[in-house]
Every structure is written in structure tokens, then in C-alpha cells.
Amino acid sequence: MTASEPVVKVENLVKYFPVKAGVFSRTVGFIKAVDGVSFNIPAGGTYGLVGESGCGKSTIGRTILKLLEPTGGRVYFKNKDVFALNKADLRVLRREMQIIFQDPYGSLNPRMSVGEAIGESLSEHGIATGKEKRERVEHMLEICGLAPFHYRRFPHEFSGGQRQRICIARALALNPQFLIADEPISSLDVSIQAQIINLLEDLQAEFGLTFLFISHDLSVVKHISDRVGVMYLGALVEDAPKKELYRNPLHPYSQALLSAVPVMDPTFKKERIILKGDVPSPAKPPTGCRFHTRCQYMVERCRVEMPPLRDVGGNHFVACHLVEKG
């Protein structure tokens, strides 16, 4: 793999969940959680994925790691087809691909001490045991802002921010190259969120990590990401470098999301775009452009024709019929 090639390549990723009904639990339809999503992440970069709750962001993260079986598409990690690997090879590859979950308490076993939770993967992969394992776990605790004596304590003895630090230490225990951060600060107090973001940035700089950062908080994504993808109802509607997206959002949905981001200047008057209607069901998405039912600029073409995600100039991709190619 050359330096110019991305570490992670997601190509036309699809994940449908069957809808069961009746006495015999027959499949009567599908929830189209992710429907043809593609993006790349370069080595040491951070790709931010944003959108409303239920748009498929977290499903993408879990499917990339094959924690959920994909319906279609391909994911390549360092030119290896993740979905084509057998269980043994996938187990080896997962040492380099880890995830930080949204709920730090729910993702920790309350019956396992912090040392056991972080060190479990070291034992499972045959990397370290005994004294060496303990030393590595204590080192990871210190790196993540905790103390070695926390090794014997249990999750309920920590605050939410400390528990998330434990989850970060657990994810880093195997020395991965790629981390998926699935809304890692959404369940934390605002005063703690900045600490966790700064920790992730410090760890990225120290270990050369590549991130997929999933969030609904656009101000946080702006701070940490290099490139941002905007999702709506299972599909990307805009994908651009961070500065370009926040300076010049082109898709009406992106414009509406960014209009809701608070600004620090109290004298600045910002026009708030209020979307009409509700998000359609992913079990029965609208025909044509999925956003047309809530778009103020909708024309007849939007009802019948799905707009492709195309480059409108400057490596800025938009899925909208009304945006002219630059």
C-alpha cells in the first residue's frame, strides 16, 4: 500500500434489516439502514459522519467491522477485503480495527474489574499474560488519564468521563491503527466532552491513528475531522473537506443542519432553517431524492429521479439535482 492510498475504503456499503410479521415470522420488508454508502479515510486522518438520529451512522461503523453482517458492498482495510476474510483472518485483522461505543457504562461488564476489561483482549489474542499484561494495562490507563491503582476497581466506581477513558484504553490495548468512535461523548456532561475530544486528538498524534468519528454534534465534528460526510436516511447527501463543507454547504439538508450550530458571537444574526415534516421511514423511503419530502427547493425531477453523489469541484461531492457542477 502506497502513502497515497487510503487506509479504509468503503464501497457501496449496504445494510438492510428484515422486517418480520405473522405467526411464521415471514419477511415482509426491509429497513434500509445503509443504502449504497462510499467514502475513503487516509492514514492518520479523521472522517466525520454526521446526521440525525436513525440515519444509519452507527450501523455503518458496526458493519465496517463486520459486527453486523453486510447486505452488500465492500470494505477494504489496507487493501484487504474485510468481508471476504474467514473467521481466523478476521480475528487477526480486528487487532488493528477497534471501536469506542457510545455508552461507556453499557459497553463495560459490571462484573469485570477495569484491569480485566482492558486486559481481556491481550489474553484472547495471546499478546501478554500475567505480569506483562498488568504492566501494559496500567500503562494504557496512564496514557488515557487514569491511575495504575484503578486496575482493581469496577465500572460503577467511576464517573461517566472516567468510564469512557477506560473504554478508550480498552480499544487501544491491542495497538490498533483504525478506531471507530461511535458518538463517544454524547452521553457525557458538556464539561467532560472537551477533555475526551482532546484525549482522542492527543492519542491520534501519538500513535498515528486513523479515525471514523460518528456524531450528531456538528461543532465537535468541525473541531476533530478532516473530511465530513452528511447522511440522510441511509445515504450520503454531501461529502467534502471540513473547511469547504462548513464554509459552503450545498445540499439543502446540510444547510439546515449547519444553520442549527450555535455561534459564539451574540451579535451575529443567523437564519435558522426549519425543516418541515418528519423523517420518512427507512422501511419505505421516498422515491427519487430521499430528502424531497422535506426540501423547500423540491422540483418534479426530485420526486422520480435519485440524484447521484457527484463531484461539483474541489473534491466536494453533493447528491442534489439543483446543484450545478463546478
Side-chain angles (χ1 to χ4, degrees):
M1 187 176 71
T2 65
S4 61
E5 290 181 323
V7 170
V8 178
K9 292 190 290 185
V10 178
E11 296 182 353
N12 197 34
L13 184 64
V14 177
K15 176 58 184 177
Y16 293 171
F17 294 96
V19 178
K20 305 286 186 178
V23 176
F24 299 102
S25 296
R26 293 173 178 168
T27 300
V28 296
F30 293 92
I31 295 175
K32 300 179 179 181
V34 180
D35 200 5
V37 171
S38 301
F39 57 84
N40 298 330
I41 312 177
T46 300
Y47 186 87
L49 204 55
V50 301
E52 293 172 287
S53 296
C55 70
K57 306 185 300 297
S58 295
T59 301
I60 285 179
R62 287 165 169 76
T63 308
I64 286 175
L65 297 182
K66 214 179 177 184
L67 299 178
L68 296 174
E69 284 294 325
T71 304
R74 285 282 179 262
V75 170
Y76 296 92
F77 176 69
K78 298 197 299 186
N79 290 333
K80 295 179 181 178
D81 187 343
V82 176
F83 297 164
L85 297 176
N86 58 37
K87 289 185 178 180
D89 291 337
L90 182 61
R91 178 183 172 86
V92 173
L93 189 67
R94 281 198 173 132
R95 292 166 57 172
E96 301 183 66
M97 305 169 68
Q98 292 291 309
I99 186 170
I100 303 167
F101 293 102
Q102 177 178 352
D103 181 5
Y105 191 75
S107 60
L108 291 170
N109 187 337
R111 296 187 178 185
M112 295 179 70
S113 69
V114 167
E116 291 172 329
I118 298 174
E120 183 179 27
S121 60
L122 297 174
S123 300
E124 286 292 324
H125 288 273
I127 295 175
T129 57
K131 182 180 178 182
E132 182 185 359
K133 182 177 77 170
R134 174 156 187 156
E135 289 176 349
R136 289 188 62 159
V137 171
E138 290 178 344
H139 178 61
M140 292 311 306
L141 286 170
E142 289 186 289
I143 286 176
C144 293
L146 297 169
F149 64 80
H150 288 141
Y151 185 95
R152 292 189 178 277
R153 293 189 178 180
F154 288 83
H156 71 272
E157 300 179 74
F158 295 89
S159 67
Q162 289 176 317
R163 285 197 290 263
Q164 194 60 289
R165 290 176 185 270
I166 294 167
C167 292
I168 293 171
R170 181 178 61 179
L172 291 175
L174 294 175
N175 193 28
Q177 294 187 25
F178 175 51
L179 269 183
I180 296 176
D182 184 9
E183 305 213 36
I185 63 171
S186 63
S187 63
L188 305 179
D189 292 340
V190 174
S191 60
I192 304 299
Q193 291 181 0
Q195 296 178 22
I196 298 300
I197 291 298
N198 290 336
L199 172 62
L200 292 175
E201 290 186 316
D202 291 342
L203 293 171
Q204 183 176 35
E206 181 176 353
F207 297 107
L209 298 170
T210 302
F211 275 111
L212 172 61
F213 191 87
I214 299 168
S215 180
H216 61 268
D217 189 332
L218 279 87
S219 58
V220 172
V221 170
K222 181 180 181 180
H223 179 74
I224 198 171
S225 301
D226 304 311
R227 189 174 183 88
V228 179
V230 181
M231 283 194 69
Y232 182 78
L233 210 60
L236 280 177
V237 296
E238 192 158 4
D239 181 3
K242 172 185 65 178
K243 291 183 179 179
E244 173 65 14
L245 179 72
Y246 282 78
R247 181 187 65 84
N248 184 33
L250 297 177
H251 196 280
Y253 180 63
S254 304
Q255 294 169 359
L257 288 181
L258 288 171
S259 75
V261 178
V263 294
M264 299 299 293
D265 185 359
T267 64
F268 180 76
K269 300 299 181 182
K270 190 175 186 180
E271 181 183 358
R272 178 74 166 89
I273 301 174
I274 306 296
L275 296 177
K276 61 182 181 180
D278 297 321
V279 180
S281 170
K284 193 176 180 181
T287 58
C289 175
R290 296 187 176 193
F291 187 63
H292 84 259
T293 59
R294 305 174 74 193
C295 182
Q296 59 181 323
Y297 307 112
M298 188 271 296
V299 295
E300 187 58 32
R301 182 185 181 189
C302 302
R303 296 179 184 271
V304 295
E305 184 181 340
M306 171 77 79
L309 190 69
R310 57 192 176 91
D311 192 349
V312 295
N315 205 22
H316 190 154
F317 293 81
V318 184
C320 181
H321 292 307
L322 303 182
V323 177
E324 295 295 330
K325 188 173 181 179

